[in-house]
Amino acid sequence: MTTLLTEQIYYDNNQLQIEACSISSIAEQIPTPFYCYSKARLLTNITHCKEAFENYGIDIHYAMKANSNLHILRLMNQQGLGVDMVSAGEMRRAEAAGIPANRMIFSGVGKSETELRQAIETGICQFNVESAEELALLASLMNEYTRPVNIALRVNPNVAVDTHKHITTGTKGNKFGIEATQTLSLFRQYADHPLLNMNGLAMHIGSQICDTAPYHQAISRLLELVNILEAEGMKVSSLDLGGGFGIDYGDGQKLSFEAVAKTIAEATTDFNGKVVIEPGRSLIADAGVLVSRVNYVKQAEPRSFLILDAAMNDLMRPALYQAIHPLVAANTTDYDSNAQSSELKSSELKSSELNSSELKRSELMNVDVVGPVCESTDTFARDYPVSSRTKAGDLMVFLCTGAYCSVMSSGYNSRDIIPEVMISNDEIQIIRQRITQDDLMKFEV
Ligand SMILES: Cc1ncc(COP(=O)(O)O)c(C=O)c1O
């Protein structure tokens, strides 16, 4: 089992800290709820990823859908990463962050004609094409251009992945990718096209995968296709193997960069070309937290409700895929005169025991953790243990909310879109301002 708290997000003297700032002190300056990131954690993750993959000559394209805040994209760019994008909006952001076009890959199952044109004109390095229809549209658009584009066909390798059904993408019946035989015929059909450079094959088999076996299996399937095409005289010069590397959300399950890098490197030793990966979550998820305040502890049967000021519009993953984000108190001083957290080193805090080990000498109560939105699915966790001394006004913090969280925020129930804050040592920088109803109403007539 791994630890959830890290060198950068840890307890000191009963206070949850991000780098040198306590969450309580940040919340004195910025009204809750808000997202908060550790720059040092993000940089550590990037460094680990680079160390694991670049050793094998594998290129990293950050899947920016995980978190496309400009500040974060600039950091990714400074670290030399490319991006994997899924919309013209993401391309716009990548450009604004200074990411060069030759480090942009465009994935996505439903790219519009306008988006394809914009990407052609921008001169991106690769289109990951997901259907015969998309390829035909691209071919027809290329009649108007002279500069060739690089194409990788995204294969649906039909492998089973042990993750939530809403985040598997490489199994028959998923909308993503192209079936193997059709991939071969499309590659052959367009091999001699003057402006479509049939460059490679791509895959992305799902997200939050904690086992190397599906990668091994899927890469083998891709390589079978490479062998067939190359035996027929065509060259496959790049393999884009997607992302999906799982992180520890509290159950001790994850996929380390080292393990997946080794699997990929071994599986592709005989491949004579460029290998690319597209990690998203594994770079940013554990660098972020969502800070919220308790509005009420509503006494009820069979369980009381912890009603926070954060809601499903701020953090949608629990409602969308029953995801559980570990929830901890920002300040445990009042919970127990023998409060543990000051004595606990982060390495002693086991993820799935986070609350109970922290509070082992104090009483716990099990609650349903909910937000104020008028939907029953506005529930972050059921039957969840928190200190029985938790009260209105307390700051509660969802861990591992750096990826697929702020990017999914909406203004549902006419709630503000909450700020994002970057911490670097003792510096607090707002990297996305709160978007208020007044801001939003400006766009309405
Ligand atoms: C095409 C593609 N590449 C990469 C990713 C990144 O996945 P993850 O954030 O799980 O690494 C995704 C996410 O869904 C994706 O759709």
Side-chain angles (χ1 to χ4, degrees):
M1 197 182 282
T2 50
T3 57
L4 260 193
L5 295 182
T6 59
E7 233 175 272
Q8 300 81 13
I9 302 175
Y10 58 98
Y11 278 100
D12 182 26
N13 215 5
N14 298 321
Q15 293 285 336
L16 187 65
Q17 300 276 133
I18 295 210
E19 303 195 19
C21 301
S22 70
I23 295 283
S24 310
S25 67
I26 305 167
E28 275 167 22
Q29 299 177 36
I30 298 163
T32 57
F34 58 86
Y35 281 103
C36 192
Y37 308 105
S38 156
K39 181 175 176 182
R41 183 68 202 171
L42 176 56
L43 292 177
T44 302
N45 290 344
I46 297 172
T47 305
H48 283 164
C49 187
K50 282 166 70 166
E51 281 168 2
F53 286 94
E54 290 185 351
N55 271 342
Y56 298 111
I58 297 172
D59 277 1
I60 306 167
H61 283 245
Y62 169 56
M64 59 181 282
K65 66 173 77 65
N67 190 321
S68 53
N69 182 292
L70 270 186
H71 187 99
I72 288 168
L73 291 181
R74 283 198 197 101
L75 286 175
M76 298 288 180
N77 187 32
Q78 280 159 16
Q79 297 300 307
L81 271 49
V83 282
D84 168 62
M85 325 169 295
V86 290
S87 70
E90 287 195 345
M91 187 162 62
R92 178 72 201 97
R93 283 177 171 270
E95 276 178 324
I99 295 164
N102 64 9
R103 282 201 264 129
M104 295 179 186
I105 293 178
F106 196 178
S107 301
V109 71
K111 307 174 194 80
S112 70
E113 180 177 329
T114 313
E115 288 181 313
L116 290 173
R117 280 185 192 282
Q118 282 177 19
I120 296 168
E121 285 159 21
T122 303
I124 67 163
C125 73
Q126 181 167 296
F127 290 79
N128 287 355
V129 169
E130 301 225 14
S131 65
E133 294 75 9
E134 182 189 341
L135 195 52
L137 176 58
L138 249 179
S140 75
L141 294 179
M142 288 314 289
N143 291 331
E144 300 167 38
Y145 298 95
T146 51
R147 184 172 53 178
V149 292
N150 290 330
I151 305 293
L153 297 182
R154 175 167 172 185
V155 183
N156 181 332
N158 192 21
V159 292
V161 175
D162 182 20
T163 187
H164 193 280
K165 64 178 186 302
H166 292 161
I167 49 177
T168 60
T169 56
T171 313
K172 194 170 180 183
N174 291 136
K175 69 177 175 179
F176 300 101
I178 307 169
E179 178 273 320
T181 359
Q182 196 186 14
T183 304
L184 290 175
S185 34
L186 286 173
F187 213 99
R188 291 178 188 120
Q189 185 185 342
Y190 288 91
D192 296 325
H193 192 286
L195 293 176
L196 295 181
N197 175 19
M198 300 303 285
N199 194 46
L201 299 180
M203 67 177 214
H204 171 72
I205 53 176
S207 209
Q208 189 53 19
I209 300 169
C210 295
D211 178 12
T212 54
Y215 288 96
H216 202 274
Q217 208 186 348
I219 295 168
S220 308
R221 299 218 171 133
L222 252 60
L223 289 173
E224 283 166 24
L225 304 184
V226 172
N227 290 340
I228 296 172
L229 293 168
E230 296 204 335
E232 294 175 21
M234 286 162 274
K235 174 75 192 133
V236 180
S237 35
S238 88
L239 284 184
D240 178 344
L241 303 177
F245 319 146
I247 68 128
D248 185 357
Y249 280 109
D251 58 2
Q253 300 278 313
K254 66 180 247 184
L255 188 55
S256 73
F257 290 132
E258 290 72 24
V260 74
K262 189 162 174 279
T263 299
I264 290 177
E266 283 172 4
T268 56
T269 16
D270 294 334
F271 175 70
N272 189 13
K274 186 86 230 149
V275 178
V276 171
I277 51 154
E278 302 169 346
R281 183 193 314 272
S282 49
L283 292 176
I284 176 80
D286 70 359
V289 301
L290 169 60
V291 182
S292 92
R293 232 176 247 287
V294 177
N295 277 350
Y296 299 97
V297 182
K298 175 175 168 176
Q299 304 299 321
E301 290 298 332
R303 275 183 305 278
S304 295
F305 293 97
L306 194 67
I307 308 182
L308 303 177
D309 62 1
M312 64 186 286
N313 69 300
D314 308 310
L315 174 60
M316 199 179 169
R317 295 187 71 254
L320 198 59
Y321 349 90
Q322 296 84 51
I324 298 282
H325 286 272
L327 180 67
V328 296
N331 177 355
T332 60
T333 319
D334 297 340
Y335 289 175
D336 189 325
S337 52
N338 299 315
Q340 298 294 295
S341 46
S342 58
E343 298 155 29
L344 280 171
K345 306 264 182 323
S346 65
S347 60
E348 292 170 79
L349 274 173
K350 303 297 181 217
S351 51
S352 62
E353 301 163 356
L354 201 58
N355 278 310
S356 45
S357 62
E358 186 187 326
L359 301 170
K360 60 189 164 206
R361 278 185 243 155
S362 65
E363 274 174 63
L364 291 169
M365 60 176 174
N366 275 26
V367 291
D368 285 359
V369 184
V370 301
V373 155
C374 300
E375 296 282 351
S376 293
T377 52
D378 185 20
T379 298
F380 295 115
R382 290 188 199 280
D383 213 359
Y384 197 86
V386 295
S387 162
S388 57
R389 302 202 185 176
T390 308
K391 58 184 185 317
D394 285 359
L395 285 170
M396 299 297 291
V397 181
F398 288 102
L399 303 177
C400 302
T401 53
Y404 303 107
C405 292
S406 63
V407 277
M408 289 190 190
S409 323
S410 78
Y412 183 42
N413 271 211
S414 294
R415 288 168 52 86
D416 292 352
I417 294 180
I418 63 175
E420 293 176 278
V421 180
M422 180 64 78
I423 305 299
S424 176
N425 196 16
D426 59 356
E427 242 177 71
I428 302 174
Q429 187 183 2
I430 296 181
I431 59 169
R432 182 176 73 190
Q433 301 279 355
R434 176 177 295 277
I435 302 171
T436 65
Q437 295 315 305
D438 285 329
D439 295 324
L440 291 168
M441 285 188 292
K442 283 184 201 143
F443 297 97
E444 296 170 28
V445 184

